[in-house]
PDB file of all heavy atoms in Angstrom:
ATOM      1  N   ALA A   9      -5.878  50.676  75.073  1.00 52.00           N
ATOM      2  CA  ALA A   9      -6.433  51.949  74.624  1.00 52.00           C
ATOM      3  C   ALA A   9      -5.325  52.707  73.927  1.00 52.00           C
ATOM      4  O   ALA A   9      -4.171  52.624  74.313  1.00 52.00           O
ATOM      5  CB  ALA A   9      -6.970  52.748  75.799  1.00 52.00           C
ATOM      6  N   ILE A  14      -7.264  57.752  75.526  1.00 49.00           N
ATOM      7  CA  ILE A  14      -6.897  58.127  76.891  1.00 49.00           C
ATOM      8  C   ILE A  14      -7.040  59.634  77.077  1.00 49.00           C
ATOM      9  O   ILE A  14      -7.605  60.110  78.061  1.00 49.00           O
ATOM     10  CB  ILE A  14      -5.470  57.658  77.223  1.00 49.00           C
ATOM     11  CG1 ILE A  14      -5.431  56.131  77.269  1.00 49.00           C
ATOM     12  CG2 ILE A  14      -4.984  58.253  78.548  1.00 49.00           C
ATOM     13  CD1 ILE A  14      -4.044  55.552  77.373  1.00 49.00           C
ATOM     14  N   THR A  39       4.455  81.441  90.233  1.00 51.00           N
ATOM     15  CA  THR A  39       5.063  82.757  90.371  1.00 51.00           C
ATOM     16  C   THR A  39       4.835  83.287  91.776  1.00 51.00           C
ATOM     17  O   THR A  39       5.764  83.787  92.418  1.00 51.00           O
ATOM     18  CB  THR A  39       4.468  83.740  89.342  1.00 51.00           C
ATOM     19  OG1 THR A  39       4.705  83.217  88.039  1.00 51.00           O
ATOM     20  CG2 THR A  39       5.095  85.121  89.465  1.00 51.00           C
ATOM     21  N   ARG A  48      11.778  87.593 103.154  1.00 92.00           N
ATOM     22  CA  ARG A  48      12.820  87.674 104.172  1.00 92.00           C
ATOM     23  C   ARG A  48      12.164  87.702 105.553  1.00 92.00           C
ATOM     24  O   ARG A  48      11.012  88.107 105.696  1.00 92.00           O
ATOM     25  CB  ARG A  48      13.661  88.942 103.987  1.00 92.00           C
ATOM     26  CG  ARG A  48      14.302  89.078 102.612  1.00 92.00           C
ATOM     27  CD  ARG A  48      15.412  88.096 102.426  1.00 92.00           C
ATOM     28  NE  ARG A  48      15.994  88.232 101.092  1.00 92.00           N
ATOM     29  CZ  ARG A  48      17.169  87.779 100.774  1.00 92.00           C
ATOM     30  NH1 ARG A  48      17.904  87.145 101.656  1.00 92.00           N
ATOM     31  NH2 ARG A  48      17.631  87.925  99.562  1.00 92.00           N
ATOM     32  N   GLU A  87      20.912  96.589 129.189  1.00 92.00           N
ATOM     33  CA  GLU A  87      21.462  97.788 128.538  1.00 92.00           C
ATOM     34  C   GLU A  87      21.549  97.663 127.016  1.00 92.00           C
ATOM     35  O   GLU A  87      21.313  98.626 126.299  1.00 92.00           O
ATOM     36  CB  GLU A  87      22.863  98.086 129.094  1.00 92.00           C
ATOM     37  CG  GLU A  87      22.883  98.353 130.586  1.00 92.00           C
ATOM     38  CD  GLU A  87      22.152  99.639 130.961  1.00 92.00           C
ATOM     39  OE1 GLU A  87      22.282 100.623 130.225  1.00 92.00           O
ATOM     40  OE2 GLU A  87      21.453  99.627 131.992  1.00 92.00           O
ATOM     41  N   ARG A 103      10.779  73.762 135.531  1.00 94.00           N
ATOM     42  CA  ARG A 103      12.029  74.062 136.243  1.00 94.00           C
ATOM     43  C   ARG A 103      11.841  74.789 137.582  1.00 94.00           C
ATOM     44  O   ARG A 103      12.777  74.893 138.347  1.00 94.00           O
ATOM     45  CB  ARG A 103      12.940  74.896 135.349  1.00 94.00           C
ATOM     46  CG  ARG A 103      13.355  74.145 134.100  1.00 94.00           C
ATOM     47  CD  ARG A 103      14.196  75.010 133.205  1.00 94.00           C
ATOM     48  NE  ARG A 103      14.503  74.298 131.969  1.00 94.00           N
ATOM     49  CZ  ARG A 103      14.935  74.881 130.865  1.00 94.00           C
ATOM     50  NH1 ARG A 103      15.127  76.180 130.851  1.00 94.00           N
ATOM     51  NH2 ARG A 103      15.167  74.174 129.790  1.00 94.00           N
ATOM     52  N   THR A 121      16.045  79.204 129.047  1.00 95.00           N
ATOM     53  CA  THR A 121      16.705  78.367 128.055  1.00 95.00           C
ATOM     54  C   THR A 121      17.738  79.232 127.353  1.00 95.00           C
ATOM     55  O   THR A 121      17.399  80.303 126.833  1.00 95.00           O
ATOM     56  CB  THR A 121      15.675  77.824 127.041  1.00 95.00           C
ATOM     57  OG1 THR A 121      14.713  77.040 127.748  1.00 95.00           O
ATOM     58  CG2 THR A 121      16.347  77.000 125.956  1.00 95.00           C
ATOM     59  N   GLU A 169       1.460  84.113 106.013  1.00 70.00           N
ATOM     60  CA  GLU A 169       2.154  84.343 104.752  1.00 70.00           C
ATOM     61  C   GLU A 169       1.982  83.214 103.742  1.00 70.00           C
ATOM     62  O   GLU A 169       2.277  83.382 102.582  1.00 70.00           O
ATOM     63  CB  GLU A 169       3.646  84.583 104.997  1.00 70.00           C
ATOM     64  CG  GLU A 169       3.916  85.883 105.708  1.00 70.00           C
ATOM     65  CD  GLU A 169       3.389  87.099 104.968  1.00 70.00           C
ATOM     66  OE1 GLU A 169       3.419  87.129 103.715  1.00 70.00           O
ATOM     67  OE2 GLU A 169       2.916  88.032 105.636  1.00 70.00           O
TER      68      GLU A 169
END
Side-chain angles (χ1 to χ4, degrees):
I14 293 171
T39 301
R48 304 289 179 161
E87 299 294 320
R103 297 177 184 163
T121 299
E169 292 302 324

